[in-house]
Amino acid sequence: MPDVSIVGVGMTRFGKRQDRTIEQLGQEAALAALADSGASRGDIDEIFCGSSFGGPLIGQRIFRELGMTGKPITNVENACSSSASAVREAIAAIETGRAETVMVVGIDQLTRLGGGTLPIEPNDVEGNLGVVMPAVYAMRAKRYLHETGATQRDLAEIVVKSRQNGALNPNAQTRETATVEQVLASRPVADPLTLFMCCPTGDGAAAVVLTSTRKARNYRGSDPVRICASILTSGLYKTGFRDMAYSELTADTAREAYEAAGIGPEDLDLVETHDAFVSAELMYSEALGLCERGGGVDLFRRGDTRIGGRSPVNPSGGLLCRGHPVGATGVAQIVESTRQLRGEAGALQVEGARTALTHCTGGGISGLDHGACAVHVLAR
Amino acid sequence: MQTTAFSDSSDVVFFPADKPWVEETDGLRLIGGQCAACGARSFPRALYCNNCDAQEQPEPVRLSAQGTLYTFTTLHVGPAGFPAPRYCGYVDLDDEVRVFGQIAGEQISIGDRLGLELATVRTLPDGRSVVSFRFRKVD
């Protein structure tokens, strides 16, 4: 288990944020995390910045105007897991003794790309034949529904739950509730997914300040949140047949994380998972071990995944409603979960939350189920 | 299975550019790779085997003319130049290689038997057609 704690968190409001440059979004999140921690800019020994579409030297571009250059700044690209991967590197920097207090920023401004689906890698075979991320998730969803008997209406009901949570989250991009009928009647994107079942295109940044647990009290009173596991994997390349109705990659990564933290899924008080498309919440609930394989719909129907349920999933509204500025997501999940564990989550609060898991995965390239997968376990 | 004749011209580009397929009496077949050392097959044929430490490029191998539809979607969104809506999916060829592609026709279901043909899959901004393989349901 890493000997690292989270002493400061901050994030911008997510949404179509053309009112700020990408650098300004990063500065806002970084300063919020510093203020939350009580650390000064000079207390930060190293900076890691996770971004997928932020362009070259995004970290330096954010931090130069804060006078925080000179120290090591490392930029990390790993698709949807970019900033979660950056957190893992930050933990390593602290554990080796190289740095004592580290800042991690996750950021993207997808509106800079002009909207629509994410751009495809020009050398990718499937990309050249017209695959886009909604198609990848839709094909998984189609197979999942085929194998489990779950229906498109089940997917719509989960969106209704996510929307209810998002409506309570002041940082969420989508804050309007929706009915099952409205979800089903929204524009078709990739059968069985309608528009309301897909995360929106948006912008945002999130930041955390990490330090060794023994130093944590120097910064923020008595309530540091410990990082109990930080696991990163990459998808296995397969040219043959692959089970697309179950996420083996997420299941393997979660298993490692549970072992590192010395807990099991039954010990979690809340989960933030990578619901870039609503069907993913079902499949990842299963892969994270919240229920047995194929049991995702029943888990939801029992009310277990709602705030107040046995294992709340995406109390923040998830990627579906908080939004998914790709590189920002990993740190944003950690920010939201840290606030939950501190009891500072306001209307979203899961009562008495002591242990949380954050999970992000993604990146669509041919032959891999996902480019990368990262799981963190946090506790107080 | 009918395949439309496409020839090199200034109006057409092929994808992949090395045209990894061959037309035979039982239809279009894709040319994949098969490692001489371990036997692993893949499509497209890569420069190196992903399954063992072999240094040699996998040999060209003709893959099955047909396969079974594993999953698919009706896609209504981008990128620009692709038809919408379009049908695409993963097809499990009979030699245990899974291939992604566009699918002609509308009445398709998981488990359907599909064969291959050549078709325009995309139009480039300069107006040229991109021709590649595409799946179609067989009786």
Side-chain angles (χ1 to χ4, degrees):
Chain A
M1 187 183 301
D3 183 29
V4 172
S5 288
I6 300 164
V7 291
V9 298
M11 67 185 281
T12 67
R13 184 175 55 77
F14 280 15
K16 297 196 189 299
R17 295 295 308 270
Q18 288 123 318
D19 58 313
R20 294 279 187 275
T21 65
I22 187 170
E23 292 85 359
Q24 289 168 338
L25 288 172
Q27 290 159 6
E28 180 185 332
L31 290 183
L34 276 177
D36 182 58
S37 70
S40 69
R41 298 182 197 183
D43 289 330
I44 302 299
D45 300 317
E46 277 200 45
I47 295 167
F48 293 85
C49 186
S51 182
S52 195
F53 297 98
L57 300 177
I58 178 65
Q60 286 86 335
R61 284 159 40 214
I62 292 168
F63 285 96
R64 62 180 171 182
E65 290 171 349
L66 299 179
M68 293 175 71
T69 51
K71 57 195 82 190
I73 298 179
T74 305
N75 298 299
V76 179
E77 194 286 308
N78 226 357
C80 308
S81 305
S82 293
S83 63
S85 303
V87 168
R88 179 169 173 272
E89 293 307 312
I91 291 168
I94 294 168
E95 287 193 308
T96 60
R98 185 177 88 198
E100 200 159 76
T101 304
V102 177
M103 164 82 73
V104 186
V105 175
I107 187 163
D108 260 313
Q109 189 173 36
L110 302 183
T111 56
R112 281 164 32 115
L113 305 175
T117 54
L118 291 174
I120 49 169
E121 154 60 36
N123 283 347
D124 193 76
V125 175
E126 295 177 2
N128 275 282
L129 295 173
V131 84
V132 286
M133 289 313 294
V136 172
Y137 281 87
M139 288 187 288
R140 285 182 195 148
K142 189 95 165 178
R143 186 74 198 186
Y144 180 87
L145 299 184
H146 174 78
E147 291 191 10
T148 63
T151 64
Q152 190 190 35
R153 191 174 181 87
D154 292 325
L155 300 181
E157 285 179 4
I158 298 172
V159 175
V160 172
K161 183 269 289 179
S162 300
R163 290 268 186 145
Q164 287 165 349
N165 294 353
L168 300 173
N169 185 348
N171 290 320
Q173 176 162 356
T174 302
R175 301 201 61 194
E176 297 79 36
T177 56
T179 64
V180 168
E181 287 67 32
Q182 286 171 323
V183 176
L184 292 173
S186 64
R187 177 161 68 81
V189 172
D191 175 52
L193 303 176
T194 65
L195 185 66
F196 286 11
M197 297 180 186
C198 309
C199 64
T201 295
D203 315 321
V208 290
V209 178
L210 308 181
T211 192
S212 61
T213 297
R214 66 193 166 83
K215 292 281 183 186
R217 284 166 202 284
N218 296 358
Y219 292 110
R220 194 195 146 91
S222 57
D223 62 349
V225 167
R226 283 178 296 114
I227 299 180
C228 304
S230 173
I231 305 294
L232 174 70
T233 54
S234 65
L236 287 179
Y237 184 69
K238 286 187 185 175
T239 56
F241 300 170
R242 175 198 295 282
D243 184 350
M244 287 176 66
Y246 183 74
S247 179
E248 192 183 352
L249 175 63
T250 289
D252 290 348
T253 314
R255 196 175 304 117
E256 276 191 63
Y258 291 135
E259 275 173 28
I263 64 163
E266 65 282 1
D267 299 313
L268 299 173
D269 296 311
L270 66 116
V271 169
E272 288 286 338
T273 190
H274 198 85
D275 61 332
F277 300 85
V278 68
S279 45
E281 180 169 311
L282 277 178
M283 292 175 62
Y284 295 145
S285 294
E286 296 173 17
L288 293 171
L290 305 182
C291 60
E292 72 286 2
R293 180 174 178 170
V297 171
D298 285 343
L299 181 81
F300 169 76
R301 285 194 186 131
R302 285 196 301 267
D304 286 1
T305 58
R306 295 175 184 277
I307 297 172
R310 191 171 56 85
S311 29
V313 175
N314 292 324
S316 68
L319 280 60
L320 216 52
C321 294
R322 185 183 60 246
H324 180 36
V326 176
T329 286
V331 169
Q333 292 175 325
I334 291 174
V335 169
E336 303 265 15
S337 298
T338 298
R339 287 178 176 157
Q340 286 280 0
L341 300 181
R342 289 175 176 174
E344 295 175 353
L348 302 167
Q349 185 64 47
V350 173
E351 286 307 318
R354 306 286 297 182
T355 308
L357 179 146
T358 65
H359 157 261
C360 53
T361 183
I365 53 172
S366 303
L368 270 57
D369 43 358
H370 268 307
C373 181
V375 171
H376 286 84
V377 176
L378 315 179
R380 267 199 63 197
Chain B
M1 179 100 1
Q2 290 292 310
T3 55
T4 315
F6 287 100
S7 55
D8 291 281
S9 77
S10 58
D11 299 333
V12 168
V13 292
F14 289 93
F15 180 83
D18 62 348
K19 295 186 268 184
W21 50 71
V22 58
E23 288 185 54
E24 297 201 342
T25 50
D26 57 351
L28 192 77
R29 283 172 175 252
L30 298 176
I31 309 288
Q34 179 162 8
C35 177
C38 75
R41 289 181 166 192
S42 63
F43 180 83
R45 180 185 172 217
L47 199 50
Y48 301 103
C49 180
N50 68 79
N51 190 55
C52 74
D53 289 344
Q55 297 284 327
E56 298 74 29
Q57 183 177 17
E59 305 285 342
V61 60
R62 289 177 314 150
L63 300 174
S64 300
Q66 292 188 8
T68 304
L69 185 60
Y70 176 76
T71 190
F72 69 100
T73 186
T74 312
L75 190 53
H76 297 266
V77 293
F82 286 95
R86 63 184 177 279
Y87 308 93
C88 60
Y90 283 104
V91 177
D92 290 345
L93 296 181
D94 294 343
D95 27 26
E96 303 215 329
V97 176
R98 178 171 293 173
V99 177
F100 172 84
Q102 293 183 19
I103 304 168
E106 295 187 20
Q107 299 300 317
I108 52 172
S109 315
I110 288 175
D112 279 352
R113 294 289 294 167
L114 304 178
L116 287 146
E117 63 186 16
L118 290 179
T120 297
V121 296
R122 177 186 196 180
T123 306
L124 295 173
D126 62 12
R128 287 181 298 164
S129 298
V130 178
V131 171
S132 189
F133 61 88
R134 177 174 77 173
F135 293 100
R136 180 182 289 278
K137 192 171 173 176
V138 293
D139 299 327

